[in-house]
Amino acid sequence: MTEPADRRLIIVSNRVAMPRKNGASAGGLAVGILAALKDQGGLWFGWSGKLTEKSDSDVEVVRRDNIEFATIALNESDFEHYYNGYSNRVLWPVCHYLLDFLHFETEDFDAYLRVNSLFARKLASLLQPDDIIWVHDYHLIPLAAELRNAGIDNPIGFFLHVPFPTFEALRAVPGYEYLLRSLCAYDVLGFHTHRDLTAFRTCLQEPIVPAQINGDNTIRVSGGTLVADVFPIGVDVEEIQALSVEANRSKSVRRMVDSLDGRQLIIGVDRLDYSKGLHQRFLSYERLLEKYPNTQNNVTLMQIAPPTRVGVRAYDEIRSELEQDSGRINGRFASSDWVPIRYLNKGISRKPLMGFFRNADVGLVTPVRDGMNLVAKEYIVAQDPENPGMLVLSSLAGAACELTDAVIVNPHDRDSVADGIAMAITMPLDERRERHAAMLKVLKMNDITAWRTRFVDALLSHREAG
Ligand code: ADQ
């Protein structure tokens, strides 16, 4: 067999994110993929971010160091229906168990199929026989089946960055039977946690997808055998540690620290998304200020949340809701020299971000549901091990399965979150050090390289065995 390092790794995702000069990329998938491709190199295929009136567009290929970026433009109307429609108004809310946000239109599903078939056609023209194909996320579930139809026999794996819903939630999705069958066309399926894997397995039911689930993580379906396993995504530990130390000396980070005037800093960093529990987070912070009056004028919450999916109504609404929340809480508690919430509605570059993490006494990560949550992991890695801050983490984030030494809270319970923050800001140094060391150990063992190599190895060994 050709060694994995000699075989070209092809990553496919909805959007290809070219590395930016300042390193700002507010999206876990892009951050994870770029870090995973950095060592091994390869080709990253997907949408360029450009829209066109044409139904077809040529592939543009650009090389940066050891990575080739191959992109296509998408038809404007197809994009609206495939991306904003079926992907983000159906699959995203259901995968996050937020069924109230589900909005289905047949034309959205049709466009989802059309775009997947376009992706397969364009990608097929770039492939070589030894390539290993790794498809990412819910936008591209039908891609393997489309590639197989086009005669592609290469190993194809799929990684889901969001949670996999239980059957009772999944069956609310029009087209779910088709999605399940499509998933079974992959050689390897990867999930963040055992909960997701179990949920997927329980969806394989007669008569939709008759399957035999074996003890070794293989599943026998009518078309053959696939592997479904847990591959929790990690972070680039060395890079984050180096950036956070470097950033700590930078002017922008020093200015931010000076402006706190000795107050403790609580930091939240999320894409502006209803799954991230930002409204509930602001209310929990308000609860902290009420319940623990000595925190008034002694803590500052800095929430960084750049808008995403602009134009999708639910996303526009959450933005104005948060503006109202922060305005009201600041109006209620602010004094002439203190503002309780600093709310930044924009992305910031990676380096100062890691510096902000290092100087924050609390990392507040309270999604109402999250596949993993890389911010939680980045926050831990960016800490000074001699005097680390403490992570307050939602039990509903995938990261809570690994980061069991964080202060775990229920994001729907304001008292639970407020008490968790109070506990974190008063935690003795010894306990903080111990908890931090335990979490860092887990993150070092399963860093971004381990994630990539485990997945690619699983893909290759499954094909060898088959
Ligand atoms: P996301 O939902 O985008 O990812 P997350 O895992 O937290 O969430 O990743 C966000 C990334 O973007 C982090 O690297 C963070 O530092 C960066 N980021 C966020 N806000 C930023 C800002 N304001 N400025 C700069 N950078 C910002 C999806 C899933 C997650 C899963 C990841 C990876 O929803 O559950 O963990 O993919 O699989």
Side-chain angles (χ1 to χ4, degrees), residues 358-373:
R358 195 176 180 88
N359 285 283
D361 300 274
V362 175
L364 190 54
V365 180
T366 54
V368 291
R369 193 70 66 164
D370 219 329
M372 174 55 69
N373 196 294

mmCIF file of all heavy atoms in Angstrom, residues 358-373:
data_model
loop_
_atom_site.group_PDB
_atom_site.id
_atom_site.type_symbol
_atom_site.label_atom_id
_atom_site.label_comp_id
_atom_site.label_asym_id
_atom_site.label_seq_id
_atom_site.Cartn_x
_atom_site.Cartn_y
_atom_site.Cartn_z
ATOM 1 N N ARG A 358 -5.625 34.371 27.373
ATOM 2 C CA ARG A 358 -4.606 34.170 28.427
ATOM 3 C C ARG A 358 -4.848 35.086 29.626
ATOM 4 O O ARG A 358 -4.520 34.752 30.760
ATOM 5 C CB ARG A 358 -3.206 34.412 27.849
ATOM 6 C CG ARG A 358 -2.074 33.896 28.732
ATOM 7 C CD ARG A 358 -0.733 34.070 28.057
ATOM 8 N NE ARG A 358 0.365 33.592 28.867
ATOM 9 C CZ ARG A 358 0.822 32.340 28.865
ATOM 10 N NH1 ARG A 358 0.264 31.438 28.086
ATOM 11 N NH2 ARG A 358 1.837 31.996 29.636
ATOM 12 N N ASN A 359 -5.428 36.252 29.348
ATOM 13 C CA ASN A 359 -5.641 37.214 30.424
ATOM 14 C C ASN A 359 -7.032 37.147 31.042
ATOM 15 O O ASN A 359 -7.367 37.964 31.899
ATOM 16 C CB ASN A 359 -5.376 38.630 29.905
ATOM 17 C CG ASN A 359 -3.884 38.873 29.763
ATOM 18 O OD1 ASN A 359 -3.187 39.096 30.748
ATOM 19 N ND2 ASN A 359 -3.378 38.753 28.533
ATOM 20 N N ALA A 360 -7.831 36.190 30.582
ATOM 21 C CA ALA A 360 -9.189 36.109 31.119
ATOM 22 C C ALA A 360 -9.226 35.138 32.295
ATOM 23 O O ALA A 360 -8.715 34.024 32.217
ATOM 24 C CB ALA A 360 -10.154 35.652 30.029
ATOM 25 N N ASP A 361 -9.846 35.580 33.398
ATOM 26 C CA ASP A 361 -9.951 34.726 34.580
ATOM 27 C C ASP A 361 -10.957 33.606 34.366
ATOM 28 O O ASP A 361 -10.868 32.551 34.992
ATOM 29 C CB ASP A 361 -10.386 35.578 35.788
ATOM 30 C CG ASP A 361 -9.379 36.674 36.057
ATOM 31 O OD1 ASP A 361 -8.403 36.400 36.763
ATOM 32 O OD2 ASP A 361 -9.539 37.787 35.499
ATOM 33 N N VAL A 362 -11.916 33.876 33.498
ATOM 34 C CA VAL A 362 -12.936 32.862 33.211
ATOM 35 C C VAL A 362 -13.180 32.795 31.701
ATOM 36 O O VAL A 362 -13.338 33.828 31.050
ATOM 37 C CB VAL A 362 -14.286 33.206 33.909
ATOM 38 C CG1 VAL A 362 -15.379 32.216 33.516
ATOM 39 C CG2 VAL A 362 -14.114 33.223 35.423
ATOM 40 N N GLY A 363 -13.213 31.576 31.159
ATOM 41 C CA GLY A 363 -13.662 31.365 29.780
ATOM 42 C C GLY A 363 -15.091 30.882 29.880
ATOM 43 O O GLY A 363 -15.355 29.838 30.492
ATOM 44 N N LEU A 364 -16.016 31.654 29.335
ATOM 45 C CA LEU A 364 -17.442 31.319 29.498
ATOM 46 C C LEU A 364 -17.970 30.740 28.189
ATOM 47 O O LEU A 364 -18.133 31.454 27.198
ATOM 48 C CB LEU A 364 -18.200 32.596 29.895
ATOM 49 C CG LEU A 364 -19.644 32.445 30.339
ATOM 50 C CD1 LEU A 364 -19.794 31.438 31.469
ATOM 51 C CD2 LEU A 364 -20.211 33.805 30.763
ATOM 52 N N VAL A 365 -18.202 29.436 28.185
ATOM 53 C CA VAL A 365 -18.601 28.726 26.959
ATOM 54 C C VAL A 365 -19.898 27.987 27.256
ATOM 55 O O VAL A 365 -19.893 26.913 27.845
ATOM 56 C CB VAL A 365 -17.491 27.738 26.538
ATOM 57 C CG1 VAL A 365 -17.900 26.998 25.261
ATOM 58 C CG2 VAL A 365 -16.162 28.473 26.306
ATOM 59 N N THR A 366 -21.019 28.604 26.882
ATOM 60 C CA THR A 366 -22.310 28.049 27.313
ATOM 61 C C THR A 366 -23.290 27.845 26.160
ATOM 62 O O THR A 366 -24.419 28.349 26.208
ATOM 63 C CB THR A 366 -22.938 28.979 28.373
ATOM 64 O OG1 THR A 366 -22.988 30.317 27.820
ATOM 65 C CG2 THR A 366 -22.163 28.984 29.660
ATOM 66 N N PRO A 367 -22.895 27.097 25.121
ATOM 67 C CA PRO A 367 -23.854 26.818 24.053
ATOM 68 C C PRO A 367 -25.023 25.984 24.564
ATOM 69 O O PRO A 367 -24.846 25.191 25.504
ATOM 70 C CB PRO A 367 -23.028 26.011 23.039
ATOM 71 C CG PRO A 367 -21.931 25.399 23.836
ATOM 72 C CD PRO A 367 -21.615 26.396 24.920
ATOM 73 N N VAL A 368 -26.189 26.145 23.941
ATOM 74 C CA VAL A 368 -27.313 25.279 24.310
ATOM 75 C C VAL A 368 -27.173 23.932 23.601
ATOM 76 O O VAL A 368 -27.851 22.967 23.943
ATOM 77 C CB VAL A 368 -28.687 25.926 24.020
ATOM 78 C CG1 VAL A 368 -28.932 27.087 24.952
ATOM 79 C CG2 VAL A 368 -28.817 26.350 22.571
ATOM 80 N N ARG A 369 -26.277 23.868 22.632
ATOM 81 C CA ARG A 369 -25.901 22.609 21.989
ATOM 82 C C ARG A 369 -24.723 22.904 21.088
ATOM 83 O O ARG A 369 -24.710 23.921 20.406
ATOM 84 C CB ARG A 369 -27.081 22.081 21.158
ATOM 85 C CG ARG A 369 -26.961 20.669 20.682
ATOM 86 C CD ARG A 369 -27.057 19.650 21.781
ATOM 87 N NE ARG A 369 -28.356 19.589 22.417
ATOM 88 C CZ ARG A 369 -28.760 18.572 23.191
ATOM 89 N NH1 ARG A 369 -27.977 17.538 23.393
ATOM 90 N NH2 ARG A 369 -29.945 18.601 23.762
ATOM 91 N N ASP A 370 -23.721 22.051 21.085
ATOM 92 C CA ASP A 370 -22.550 22.275 20.234
ATOM 93 C C ASP A 370 -21.909 20.933 19.918
ATOM 94 O O ASP A 370 -21.817 20.079 20.805
ATOM 95 C CB ASP A 370 -21.526 23.154 20.985
ATOM 96 C CG ASP A 370 -20.847 24.164 20.080
ATOM 97 O OD1 ASP A 370 -20.674 23.855 18.877
ATOM 98 O OD2 ASP A 370 -20.492 25.256 20.561
ATOM 99 N N GLY A 371 -21.457 20.764 18.673
ATOM 100 C CA GLY A 371 -20.807 19.513 18.294
ATOM 101 C C GLY A 371 -19.613 19.257 19.205
ATOM 102 O O GLY A 371 -19.512 18.238 19.886
ATOM 103 N N MET A 372 -18.680 20.212 19.205
ATOM 104 C CA MET A 372 -17.521 20.123 20.089
ATOM 105 C C MET A 372 -17.405 21.429 20.875
ATOM 106 O O MET A 372 -17.665 21.499 22.032
ATOM 107 C CB MET A 372 -16.247 19.858 19.256
ATOM 108 C CG MET A 372 -14.956 19.882 20.035
ATOM 109 S SD MET A 372 -14.928 18.753 21.430
ATOM 110 C CE MET A 372 -14.900 17.172 20.639
ATOM 111 N N ASN A 373 -16.982 22.485 20.220
ATOM 112 C CA ASN A 373 -16.650 23.823 20.688
ATOM 113 C C ASN A 373 -15.151 23.960 20.876
ATOM 114 O O ASN A 373 -14.578 23.554 21.890
ATOM 115 C CB ASN A 373 -17.383 24.251 21.953
ATOM 116 C CG ASN A 373 -17.261 25.771 22.120
ATOM 117 O OD1 ASN A 373 -16.168 26.285 22.341
ATOM 118 N ND2 ASN A 373 -18.356 26.474 21.942
#
